[in-house]
Amino acid sequence: MNKLGVNIDHVATVRQARRADEPDPVWAAVECELGGADGITFHLREDRRHFGDRDAELLRKTVATKLNMELSVAPEIVKIALRLRPTQCTLVPERREELTTEGGLDVVRHRARIRPVVKKLAAAGIVTSAFVEPDEDQVRTSADCGFDAIELWTGGYAHAPNVTARRAALDRLVRALRLGRDCGLEVHAGHGLTYRNIEPIAALALFSEFNIGHTIVARAMFVGLRAAVQEMKRLLDRAPQHAAHEAGSAST
Ligand code: PXP
């Protein structure tokens, strides 16, 4: 099943543009759930550029679906995660100068710092996930570090300049996904996915979760957040059936 985790960071980004109290990302989370989201994702950054501690606390109390907290291995943030105990923690890279998370975490390079964090989070009963690029070493090392899941960075697919490059990126994702599953990991996907590019990847019906943010928050400006989530859910639900139907008609 193609589950949808809605990343609501950009709701907080709009609020912070004015250092005001609206729009409230906690209200946004409720709207997403009413629209059929299977989970809510937020990133508590060290610089608190969008989400703040108040938001994290309130989301923990109010989200009724799966709460997925993205974080770096910064000790201060890990401490907050251990106290909050969201359903899942996704470890991501974090650079102050980036606009958003721009690539996967280098689990191979940083495994000595990552492994103890995974251990602590798992001991607190939190599902652990690593946001990594679709690369064999990254996938194998994530399993070796004790993660329960990986979220494959879909930026290569989303930003592919042409159909051939997009197909190659999709093949790379599928290879990494199969390897991840063989290593016993649950496999998620995210970054740069939109209403326009979601169908081919959703049609695979192989990823257990998609984490999607910017396109949904952008669409919400015109149709409202609840409807924007419903539209994405429809695409995610329809794509595998559509693909099966197409395959069926091709074989007759
Ligand atoms: N997954 C992760 C780990 C992210 O950091 C982000 C935000 O960059 C997303 C998914 C959502 O990406 P987007 O906003 O491009 O949909």
Side-chain angles (χ1 to χ4, degrees):
M1 190 189 159
N2 289 332
K3 290 202 172 156
L4 172 63
V6 182
N7 182 315
I8 53 171
D9 291 347
H10 291 302
V11 175
T13 302
V14 173
R15 178 190 62 186
Q16 294 314 105
R18 281 293 184 92
R19 305 269 185 277
D21 59 7
E22 63 179 2
D24 190 336
V26 180
W27 182 349
V30 176
E31 289 294 326
C32 290
E33 290 189 323
L34 290 172
D38 301 293
I40 301 297
T41 295
F42 72 100
H43 184 173
L44 189 67
R45 284 180 169 264
E46 258 190 298
D47 63 8
R48 308 294 198 279
R49 72 167 70 152
H50 37 48
F51 260 83
D53 298 53
R54 166 265 183 205
D55 306 320
E57 301 274 348
L58 284 178
L59 281 182
R60 177 64 181 88
K61 288 183 183 149
T62 53
V63 167
T65 56
K66 173 176 178 174
L67 183 62
N68 176 30
M69 174 175 171
E70 293 178 1
L71 70 159
S72 69
V73 290
E76 179 220 347
I77 307 291
V78 173
K79 216 165 134 188
I80 294 173
L82 289 168
R83 186 169 47 75
L84 284 180
R85 293 182 190 228
T87 327
Q88 176 175 292
C89 277
T90 301
L91 292 190
V92 299
E94 200 171 296
R95 287 187 301 122
R96 274 176 199 247
E97 64 275 21
E98 70 192 355
L99 282 178
T100 179
T101 312
E102 281 161 3
L105 180 64
D106 191 343
V107 177
V108 176
R109 187 165 169 208
H110 301 295
R111 66 188 140 193
R113 283 175 71 201
I114 291 170
R115 207 187 296 267
V117 172
V118 174
K119 212 168 163 186
K120 276 189 208 162
L121 293 169
I126 302 166
V127 174
T128 55
S129 178
F131 183 51
V132 292
E133 299 197 11
D135 168 89
E136 185 178 334
D137 285 349
Q138 297 294 340
V139 175
R140 287 193 192 281
T141 310
S142 299
D144 185 54
C145 283
F147 283 100
D148 302 300
I150 47 173
E151 178 178 330
L152 293 176
W153 175 77
T154 46
Y157 164 78
H159 307 308
N162 54 50
V163 177
T164 313
R166 178 160 291 187
R167 201 165 296 142
L170 200 55
D171 287 347
R172 198 171 162 221
L173 282 166
V174 172
R175 278 197 300 277
L177 175 140
R178 296 222 160 99
L179 176 64
R181 285 197 174 173
D182 288 347
C183 294
L185 297 163
E186 193 175 301
V187 187
H188 310 154
H191 189 81
L193 298 173
T194 67
Y195 294 90
R196 287 166 195 260
N197 67 23
I198 192 67
E199 280 189 277
I201 194 165
L204 299 170
L206 292 172
F207 290 99
S208 47
E209 179 179 308
F210 290 98
N211 281 303
I212 306 179
H214 185 265
T215 199
I216 293 177
V217 174
R219 180 123 182 93
M221 274 188 207
F222 303 108
V223 302
L225 191 50
R226 203 181 300 190
V229 172
Q230 280 165 349
E231 283 180 28
M232 184 58 81
K233 269 298 278 183
R234 265 199 298 276
L235 290 178
L236 288 175
D237 291 344
R238 195 183 69 181
Q241 294 159 19
H242 198 60
H245 176 74
E246 296 272 298
S249 15
S251 63
T252 51

